[in-house]
């Protein structure tokens, strides 16, 4: 299966009404990545005003600067989207992940429902066959309505104690309903892939899933400048064997997808839109399998601003800003191969993550050793910017 990107299946429902920025590979005598802005049907290179997206988001009002900047026309949005995928033509422009120098952070276990799925993973020691029975046992204890459980509250402490007393203690209880959020580094700087690109699953994983999430873009001063979508690709078997394998479960080649664009906050799009949005997920397999899921941000246990404060504070700074995955309510339990086995990816799956105000992020699943290798790092970026006289 292939992915055919176009404005109709990529843009937000209100088109380009909002301020949409991103990054594109721009060909020429000295080709390289540039920040771009989408205006109507066209894409404009604004690297003369800001050499990096991180630099653009450090401005006090990046939207105002963009509106006052003409930029250099590099092609239509249709053309750039059509030249996406695993092997774009480098002689023509194409879209990249919309972030560059930002550290890629993620908040884990930010929904109580997904916290219980982590407990199940751990209790099952990464064995998907055991998960179904454990899930029923835990929900018999907790009941179905967990949205009102606020981390750090008396009710949260009581729930934690109940699970411990029933032999279901887990370190996920502490970060899920305790006072301190789990904030981890999802991927290295510049390692994320954009819409249309392959996403990588470790070849030794037999239980894994997509994690559809909203991603906030935060500058070095802690100001939230906008949002986009992300797929925090997760290996449930690796993390279930041991929480100390989190880095192996989360950080593999092409295991972090972000895009399609960053929508800056303005009168048409605010943090309240993020708080109330619903993130939809569809997985379409080559054999005809389909999985549909929904993550309602209104059910999040910790407010996005709290998660930002727990990421950047007096104890930890990010001089180039950061991208912050907010977590997901979605944890797939639908059986794919046989009853009780739950869901796991197969190579060739098409994963679509979308929400009306941010558009849709689309990727094809492969294994991380078969995905295009990551070769363009920080040294390559700075060498390129220097040759293009953008530093």
């Amino acid at each position: 299966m292939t992915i055919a990107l176009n404005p109709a299946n990529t843009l937000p429902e209100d088109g380009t009404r909002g301020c949409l920025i991103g990054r594109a590979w721009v060909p020429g005598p000295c080709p390289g990545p540039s920040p771009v802005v989408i205006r109507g049907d066209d894409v404009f290179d604004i690297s003369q005003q800001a050499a990096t997206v991180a630099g653009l988001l450090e401005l006090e009002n990046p939207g105002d600067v963009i509106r006052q900047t003409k930029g250099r026309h590099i092609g239509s949005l249709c053309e750039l989207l059509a030249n996406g995928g695993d092997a774009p033509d480098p002689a023509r422009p194409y879209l990249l992940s919309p972030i560059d120098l930002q550290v890629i952070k993620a908040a884990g276990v930010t929904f109580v429902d997904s916290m219980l799925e982590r407990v199940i993973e751990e209790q099952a020691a990464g064995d998907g066959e055991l998960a179904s029975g454990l899930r029923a046992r835990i929900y018999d204890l907790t009941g179905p309505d967990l949205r009102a459980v606020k981390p750090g509250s008396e009710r949260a402490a009581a729930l934690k104690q109940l699970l411990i007393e029933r032999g279901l203690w887990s370190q996920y209880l502490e970060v899920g309903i305790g006072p301190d959020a789990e904030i981890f580094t999802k991927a290295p700087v510049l390692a994320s892939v954009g819409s249309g690109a392959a996403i990588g699953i470790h070849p030794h994983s037999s239980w894994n899933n997509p994690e559809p999430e909203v991603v906030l873009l935060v500058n070095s001063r802690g100001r939230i400048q906008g949002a986009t979508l992300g797929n925090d690709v997760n290996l449930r078997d690796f993390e279930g064997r041991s929480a100390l394998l989190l880095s192996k479960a989360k950080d593999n080649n092409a295991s972090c997808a972000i895009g399609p664009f960053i929508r800056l906050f303005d009168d048409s799009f605010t943090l309240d839109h993020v708080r109330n949005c619903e993130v939809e997920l569809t997985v379409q397999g080559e054999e005809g399998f389909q999985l549909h899921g929904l993550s309602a941000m209104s059910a999040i246990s910790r407010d996005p601003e709290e998660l930002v404060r727990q990421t950047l504070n007096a104890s930890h700074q990010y001089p180039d800003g950061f991208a912050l995955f907010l977590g997901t309510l979605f944890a797939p339990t639908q059986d794919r191969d046989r009853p009780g086995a739950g869901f796991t990816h197969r190579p060739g799956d098409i994963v679509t993550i979308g929400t009306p105000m941010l558009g849709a992020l689309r990727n094809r699943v492969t294994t991380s050793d078969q995905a295009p290798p990551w070769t363009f790092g920080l040294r390559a970026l700075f060498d390129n910017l220097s040759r293009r006289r953008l530093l």
Side-chain angles (χ1 to χ4, degrees):
M1 298 172 67
T2 59
I3 299 177
L5 298 182
N6 57 62
N9 66 19
T10 299
L11 286 172
E13 66 176 5
D14 58 353
T16 58
R17 178 191 173 202
C19 188
L20 302 180
I21 64 171
R23 288 170 64 241
W25 185 264
V26 181
C30 187
S34 289
V36 297
V37 60
I38 316 304
R39 296 189 179 121
D41 297 327
D42 295 300
V43 182
F44 295 85
D45 178 346
I46 55 173
S47 58
Q48 293 296 322
Q49 283 66 42
T52 63
V53 172
L56 178 64
L57 298 184
E58 285 300 308
L59 301 175
E60 188 65 27
N61 294 296
D64 291 344
V65 173
I66 290 169
R67 281 185 286 273
Q68 296 164 14
T69 298
K70 181 178 180 180
R72 180 170 68 90
H73 182 260
I74 60 171
S76 71
L77 180 57
C78 284
E79 291 169 337
L80 270 72
L81 288 171
N83 190 32
D86 298 345
D89 179 359
R92 297 183 291 128
Y94 58 91
L95 293 169
L96 304 165
S97 166
I99 67 169
D100 42 41
L101 297 180
Q102 295 93 340
V103 177
I104 305 172
K105 307 294 288 189
V109 203
T110 53
F111 294 79
V112 174
D113 281 2
S114 64
M115 174 200 74
L116 293 179
E117 282 301 312
R118 294 292 180 268
V119 174
I120 290 164
E121 287 172 14
E122 186 179 51
Q123 292 289 323
D127 185 347
E129 299 282 355
L130 298 178
S132 180
L134 284 165
R135 188 174 294 111
R137 181 185 172 200
I138 288 174
Y139 277 95
D140 281 345
L141 289 174
T142 63
D145 185 13
L146 296 169
R147 294 187 179 186
V149 178
K150 182 175 177 58
S153 67
E154 290 184 5
R155 182 179 176 188
L159 174 59
K160 175 182 172 183
Q161 187 59 38
L162 173 64
L163 292 170
I164 291 172
E165 288 173 358
R166 300 300 175 90
L168 292 169
W169 180 89
S170 167
Q171 58 252 332
Y172 293 110
L173 297 178
E174 184 58 44
V175 296
I177 55 181
D180 298 314
E182 177 193 19
I183 307 290
F184 61 91
T185 300
K186 165 63 182 177
V189 172
L190 290 174
S192 61
V193 300
S195 193
I199 49 174
I201 302 294
H202 195 286
H204 293 158
S205 174
S206 60
W207 187 23
N208 48 69
N209 61 259
E211 292 194 351
E213 305 188 23
V214 174
V215 181
L216 296 182
L217 279 302
V218 187
N219 68 17
S220 65
R221 301 183 300 280
R223 180 172 179 176
I224 308 171
Q225 299 282 42
T228 185
L229 293 167
N231 187 348
D232 179 13
V233 180
N234 183 49
L235 310 182
R236 301 189 71 177
D237 45 2
F238 279 50
E239 187 176 357
R241 282 161 46 204
S242 171
L244 297 180
L245 290 174
L246 179 67
S247 61
K248 193 161 188 130
K250 293 289 189 179
D251 181 11
N252 297 288
N253 182 40
S255 65
C256 177
I258 296 177
F261 311 108
I262 297 167
R263 184 165 185 169
L264 297 182
F265 288 152
D266 57 18
D267 292 341
S268 72
F269 180 63
T270 68
L271 189 58
D272 281 339
H273 286 100
V274 170
R275 290 185 174 108
N276 294 292
C277 76
E278 293 186 340
V279 182
E280 297 184 38
L281 171 93
T282 300
V283 177
Q284 183 175 354
E286 291 183 326
E287 83 282 23
F289 173 85
Q290 287 198 348
L291 174 72
H292 300 280
L294 186 72
S295 183
M297 287 297 296
S298 60
I300 198 168
S301 303
R302 303 180 194 268
D303 187 76
E305 286 188 315
E306 179 191 347
L307 293 171
V308 169
R309 287 193 296 270
Q310 291 215 26
T311 305
L312 186 152
N313 46 60
S315 297
H316 207 315
Q317 296 79 47
Y318 295 90
D320 297 306
F322 59 96
L324 179 63
F325 281 73
L326 293 179
T328 184
L329 177 64
F330 178 73
T333 58
Q334 179 180 332
D335 292 334
R336 182 171 197 172
D337 294 322
R338 57 191 179 278
F343 169 82
T344 196
H345 272 306
R346 289 183 183 178
D349 285 351
I350 300 297
V351 181
T352 302
I353 295 170
T355 193
M357 299 298 283
L358 293 173
L361 170 67
R362 301 172 187 272
N363 300 94
R364 180 183 61 82
V365 173
T366 186
T367 53
S368 55
D369 57 340
Q370 296 298 312
W374 174 40
T375 59
F376 196 91
L378 286 167
R379 287 188 298 111
L381 175 63
F382 288 121
D383 286 347
N384 182 273
L385 294 177
S386 178
R387 289 197 303 272
R388 296 161 66 197
R389 299 183 180 179
L390 293 174
L391 288 181

